[in-house]
Amino acid sequence: MGTANIYVDRVTKYYGRVRALDNVSLSIEEGQIFGIFGPNGAGKSTLFRTISGLTRPNYGEVFVRGAPVSLNYTRVRRHVSQLLELPEVYDYMTLWEYLRFFARMGKVEPRLIDGLVWDWIMNIGMIDQAHQPIRGFSIGQRQRMEIARAFLTNAKIVLLDEPFIALDIAITERLHRYFDDWVREGRLIVITSHNLDAALKFVDEFAILSRGRVVDRVSMTDQHEVLITVRTDDAAGTAVTLEGIENVVIQSVGATDVKVQCGQETVPEMVKRLVEDGAVIYEVREENLIEALYRRALKNARRR
Ligand code: ADP
Ligand code: MG
């Protein structure tokens, strides 16, 4: 992976008294699909608006390919493609006209435009709708249309806010292939989702946003990591034993339980060592690390 394509530097954003983003720092490198996951109201859409320059943070700055967004609005808009809110202004256009219009705006070479537009109409599975006006499209169809538009404008960075709402599985899987090819050419796709299951298989890395803060950052190379909860009568002693095992990271020590993070393959060794040390174990519970982190973010959000 290359340089930081997006660098969010201590960004805080208020809407009146609502703090939508709270001192967020995040750097996202090119050449990957990056996820921003979090429950509704976490600040995902606001973060996208600050990255694409549609809204100004109260504090902090976002840098897109090294350029501060607040000083380089036009330049940033050229690099960054974001799904528009449903674009009523274009309602009278057909899908074909709409995509051609944006391909021209996106400075696609004129002789390539028609071919590319047709490719994308096919990619999003909307050949039957090509000459229908956008006006009658469902939310799912509009979302597909906007994904095509994002790619046709030749942007280096594509921000997709909740693309999985109303997208069916077949289309989603097809798009995944294009996303992968596309980022391998050194571009960056950032996807937000409130639904971890839908988005997880798409991303290489992701951040979890909760109540306007980045609470975790996880790489998919961690996907075989587990969170183990050991319930015991001697939490302190158990923590000492576990801490001595290679690749085991202690997460917390409570009155009657110890939580550790480790690779799945380490679990038998852990159990063996605890038994050898004569620990009294009531329960060993295993959870997938990524799911456990996300559940924790959801729980914190509810406590708001
Ligand atoms: P998400 O996209 O993760 O659901 P948002 O960024 O839309 O979260 O919202 C974050 C917080 O900011 C929420 O509390 C939301 O109500 C508030 N918010 C978002 N946009 C506005 C706005 N234009 N005016 C007032 N409050 C807003
Ligand atoms: Mg949102």
Side-chain angles (χ1 to χ4, degrees):
M1 265 166 231
T3 49
N5 241 332
I6 297 175
Y7 180 54
V8 179
D9 185 21
R10 288 166 290 176
V11 162
T12 295
K13 172 69 189 178
Y14 285 93
Y15 290 110
R17 288 168 59 200
V18 175
R19 190 163 49 198
L21 296 175
D22 183 3
N23 200 27
V24 170
S25 289
L26 187 64
S27 77
I28 309 177
E29 282 84 37
E30 63 186 26
Q32 63 168 335
I33 304 178
F34 190 92
I36 294 173
F37 301 155
N40 288 324
K44 304 181 296 295
S45 297
T46 304
L47 183 60
F48 268 14
R49 282 196 290 272
T50 63
I51 293 170
S52 55
L54 295 175
T55 190
R56 282 269 185 106
N58 298 88
Y59 303 100
E61 178 67 274
V62 180
F63 298 85
V64 167
R65 310 183 105 215
V69 171
S70 63
L71 303 174
N72 297 274
Y73 183 74
T74 313
R75 187 187 169 78
V76 166
R77 294 300 304 156
R78 210 165 45 232
H79 288 312
V80 180
S81 176
Q82 179 175 14
L83 291 195
L84 303 170
E85 325 270 85
L86 298 183
E88 273 168 48
V89 233
Y90 303 107
D91 265 9
Y92 62 92
M93 287 186 182
T94 66
L95 174 62
W96 161 255
E97 289 165 346
Y98 179 81
L99 292 179
R100 280 195 88 228
F101 174 74
F102 278 100
R104 275 205 308 278
M105 299 258 294
K107 305 213 163 50
V108 176
E109 246 184 273
R111 63 185 177 88
L112 298 179
I113 288 180
D114 283 4
L116 262 179
V117 167
W118 273 117
D119 283 351
W120 273 100
I121 288 175
M122 249 178 339
N123 295 348
I124 57 173
M126 291 185 69
I127 292 187
D128 292 346
Q129 289 81 28
H131 296 299
Q132 288 175 13
I134 291 169
R135 196 177 333 118
F137 288 178
S138 68
I139 304 261
Q141 287 173 329
R142 280 169 189 257
Q143 233 157 7
R144 278 141 72 180
M145 167 182 101
E146 291 302 317
I147 287 172
R149 185 183 67 83
F151 286 91
L152 279 167
T153 51
N154 236 344
K156 296 286 179 244
I157 298 172
V158 176
L159 306 180
L160 301 172
D161 198 5
E162 303 274 356
F164 304 117
I165 293 179
L167 276 190
D168 69 51
I169 292 289
I171 298 286
T172 305
E173 276 169 6
R174 184 140 43 124
L175 289 173
H176 190 189
R177 285 207 309 273
Y178 301 116
F179 288 0
D180 265 350
D181 291 346
W182 209 72
V183 296
R184 230 169 284 134
E185 293 165 20
R187 282 143 165 152
L188 168 67
I189 299 177
V190 190
I191 288 174
T192 71
S193 181
H194 68 281
N195 181 347
L196 189 66
D197 293 337
L200 214 46
K201 59 176 182 290
F202 273 80
V203 300
D204 300 299
E205 201 181 349
F206 66 89
I208 298 175
L209 204 62
S210 173
R211 306 161 74 175
R213 293 189 193 170
V214 174
V215 292
D216 267 301
R217 181 175 178 143
V218 184
S219 162
M220 292 314 280
T221 52
D222 294 340
Q223 65 180 314
H224 299 298
E225 289 275 296
V226 289
L227 188 73
I228 302 288
T229 306
V230 180
R231 201 154 61 81
T232 170
D233 64 350
D234 177 16
T238 297
V240 171
T241 303
L242 294 177
E243 205 262 340
I245 302 171
E246 209 180 339
N247 298 329
V248 171
V249 176
I250 309 284
Q251 287 291 355
S252 67
V253 182
T256 60
D257 62 38
V258 180
K259 285 185 195 296
V260 302
Q261 181 184 329
C262 63
Q264 212 160 20
E265 68 290 346
T266 311
V267 179
E269 168 72 9
M270 264 176 46
V271 172
K272 183 164 152 273
R273 291 279 279 276
L274 286 172
V275 171
E276 281 170 5
D277 280 10
V280 179
I281 305 296
Y282 295 107
E283 187 189 3
V284 176
R285 196 170 69 240
E286 175 183 313
E287 296 167 276
N288 177 279
L289 177 69
I290 289 173
E291 283 162 15
L293 291 176
Y294 195 65
R295 236 188 336 269
R296 192 171 71 192
L298 290 180
K299 211 159 80 188
N300 287 341
R302 273 196 294 272
R303 235 184 269 140
R304 187 171 211 155

